Amino acid sequence: MKERAVIFTGNSIRHEDAKKILRANYQPPVRRFQLEKFVQQGYKVMGIIDGIFFDRAAVGHREIISALNAGIKVVGGASMGALRASELDTHGMIGVGKVYEWYRDGVIESDDEVAVSTNPDTFEPISVPLVNIRETLKAALATGLISEKEHDGLLELAINTYYPDRSYLGLTKEGAKKGLIQEEKRKSLLDFCINSEVDLKRQDAVLVLETVKKLIEEA
């Protein structure tokens, strides 16, 4: 039986993990001029999680609107999907998750909040997205591991770091070097970030899959 939904992902959640939640046609992160092919193939639901950023290869607004006008339900969240949903929810695109809400409400604005460098073969991220760093530092603050001043300084450092270079090792190392945290706290913070990371993009990706699954069941 042909899958009724097509999902574009690979960075925020691995295809292998996504398949445990939803049976669908899983594609790599979406790029420009891809959607029409799947519209023509008769898919009724599209889930946009990950996509190409920053250049002319990024999926266009008109492509998504065209799919919506063709009667296809388009769900977005976590990464490129969250960004496009915040821009196109008034046209009928369905946005889910905290990243979408942040973009929609103007809490964050830049594309590089969700951008990562990736393994070209597996699409898996090899840098840490800023939205995850935000939530993980917030969690470290809530546990008392870092002070509000340390939190603010480290977050500013992360924001000012070029997106492919963002990592918890680099953040804690540079943070200690700049005096934003004490050297003796660096290792405990690094351990926390690695072992207790709030993977916001993955959480939102799961929400996209669950939303698509519900739409299919209700159809």
Side-chain angles (χ1 to χ4, degrees), residues 135-152 189 192:
E135 287 295 274
T136 302
L137 289 178
K138 188 187 297 183
L141 173 62
T143 63
L145 181 58
I146 56 175
S147 68
E148 191 166 338
K149 181 180 179 181
E150 290 168 332
H151 166 276
D152 293 349
L189 178 59
F192 179 88

Side-chain angles (χ1 to χ4, degrees), residues 40-108:
Q40 295 298 326
Q41 289 176 2
Y43 287 92
K44 299 302 181 185
V45 187
M46 291 182 179
I48 300 177
I49 297 174
D50 298 306
I52 303 300
F53 278 93
F54 300 127
D55 56 27
R56 294 181 180 178
V59 63
H61 299 78
R62 290 183 180 180
E63 296 174 75
I64 296 173
I65 292 173
S66 179
L68 292 167
N69 289 340
I72 296 169
K73 290 182 171 61
V74 184
V75 182
S79 191
M80 173 60 79
L83 179 62
R84 287 292 182 261
S86 73
E87 298 161 335
L88 297 174
D89 51 8
T90 56
H91 292 270
M93 186 172 177
I94 302 167
V96 298
K98 185 172 284 189
V99 178
Y100 157 70
E101 292 171 355
W102 281 355
Y103 275 125
R104 181 196 64 193
D105 299 339
V107 176
I108 59 175

Side-chain angles (χ1 to χ4, degrees), residues 1-6 23-25 42-46 212 215-219:
M1 184 179 75
K2 178 187 172 185
E3 295 87 352
R4 297 171 65 187
V6 57
R23 176 178 174 173
N25 177 358
Y43 287 92
K44 299 302 181 185
V45 187
M46 291 182 179
V212 169
L215 288 171
I216 293 172
E217 291 170 350
E218 292 175 347

